[in-house]
């Protein structure tokens, strides 16, 4: 299986009050539990990223709950109003509780 | 050839197993494939039977999706996003997938605007319903149909 790797895009700097777009993607097969393995004919058990949490300076700002209907390599884009410099932390939670994180700093001038 | 035959046996067995599962699902009140009724029931569950208004939600969905494995779904909602007037949550549902839920998003006033974009799987041509929950407890919804050429349900 491909390695699960998060990728995020946050502007390095922003003007105060500017609404910036944050993009986050994680490479993950998002097994729905419905598809079959072509070699063995057995069902691949469900394993998806079910939750995404974005926080800024320790405060949760945006969360997304994913269902199996979300595509492989789940991508999410959302707005954020820049008001002060700080660091974003992104967390993805997989079925079974495994967590993947990434963080990015943003400077507000 | 032999292998092909073997595959078909397995898929038949699976088909039977799926039928059994569907039967069990009906018993607990969940259809094997979601339909308009499942989405309506889901909306009712989320809103608690409150009336749902239209408008304020702008959807960005393709009219025709060539590949149901990754269909862009984006929305933006006109909201001041202040501490006492903001969009709390948005639920995306599809009425032709095995389950009606696609994703849900929780917003906070610090975001300054309400929009999001992601990609979803669609099994067939169907309606996408976006339900937004406002901070004052009211609900808004918007709906669009996406035509799917190749379904994205795997297997």
């Amino acid at each position: 299986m491909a390695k699960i790797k998060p990728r995020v895009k946050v502007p390095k700097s922003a003007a105060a009050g500017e609404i910036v777009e944050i993009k986050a993607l994680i490479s993950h097969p998002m097994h729905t539990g419905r598809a079959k393995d072509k070699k063995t004919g057995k069902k691949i058990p469900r394993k998806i990223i079910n939750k995404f949490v974005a926080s800024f300076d320790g405060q949760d700002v945006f969360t997304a709950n994913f269902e199996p209907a979300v595509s492989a390599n789940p991508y999410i884009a959302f707005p954020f109003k820049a008001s002060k410099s700080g660091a974003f932390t992104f967390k993805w939670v997989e079925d079974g509780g495994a967590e993947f994180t990434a963080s990015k700093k943003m400077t507000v001038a | 050839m032999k292998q092909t035959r073997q595959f078909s046996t397995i898929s038949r067995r699976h088909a039977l197993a799926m039928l059994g599962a569907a039967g069990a699902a009906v018993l607990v009140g969940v259809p094997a494939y979601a339909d308009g009724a499942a989405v309506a029931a889901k909306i009712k569950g989320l809103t608690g039977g409150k009336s749902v208004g239209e408008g304020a939600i702008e959807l960005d969905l393709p009219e025709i999706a060539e590949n149901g494995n990754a269909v862009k779904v984006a929305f933006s909602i006109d909201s001041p996003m202040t501490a006492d007037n903001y969009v709390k949550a948005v639920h995306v549902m599809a009425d032709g997938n095995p389950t009606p839920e696609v994703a849900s998003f929780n917003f906070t006033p610090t975001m300054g605007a309400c929009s999001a974009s992601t990609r979803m799987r669609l099994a067939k041509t169907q309606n996408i319903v976006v339900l937004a929950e406002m901070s004052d407890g009211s609900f808004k919804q918007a709906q669009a149909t996406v035509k799917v050429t190749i379904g994205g349900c795997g297997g």
Side-chain angles (χ1 to χ4, degrees), chain B residues 59-140:
Chain B
L59 292 182
D60 182 4
L61 284 163
E63 242 175 77
I64 298 171
E66 275 178 22
N67 182 354
N69 265 316
V71 183
K72 183 194 177 187
V73 50
F75 58 85
S76 68
I77 300 169
D78 196 11
S79 163
M81 295 302 274
T82 54
D84 47 347
N85 183 7
Y86 66 99
V87 181
K88 248 167 90 176
V90 173
H91 304 270
V92 180
M93 288 159 277
D95 68 0
N97 272 354
T99 48
E101 303 92 354
V102 174
S104 63
F105 308 97
N106 296 315
F107 293 89
T108 55
T110 42
M111 293 173 73
C114 179
S115 70
S117 169
T118 187
R119 295 183 195 125
M120 64 182 167
R121 293 175 171 131
L122 295 178
K124 58 178 183 182
T125 298
Q126 57 187 293
N127 297 316
I128 312 302
V129 182
V130 173
L131 179 78
E133 185 182 353
M134 307 298 175
S135 57
D136 64 0
S138 68
F139 291 89
K140 292 252 194 296

Side-chain angles (χ1 to χ4, degrees), chain A residues 74-90:
Chain A
Y75 160 84
I76 177 86
F78 59 94
F80 183 76
K81 191 177 184 178
S83 55
K84 55 172 185 171
S85 301
F88 283 100
T89 313
F90 304 96

Side-chain angles (χ1 to χ4, degrees), chain A residues 46-92:
Chain A
R46 176 186 143 147
K47 190 153 224 178
I48 65 165
I49 296 286
N50 57 45
K51 202 176 170 104
F52 167 77
V53 182
S55 51
F56 185 74
D57 279 353
Q59 195 197 351
D60 288 359
V61 290
F62 176 74
T63 53
N65 299 295
F66 295 138
E67 300 290 335
V70 171
S71 300
N73 306 331
Y75 160 84
I76 177 86
F78 59 94
F80 183 76
K81 191 177 184 178
S83 55
K84 55 172 185 171
S85 301
F88 283 100
T89 313
F90 304 96
K91 186 172 83 178
W92 289 262

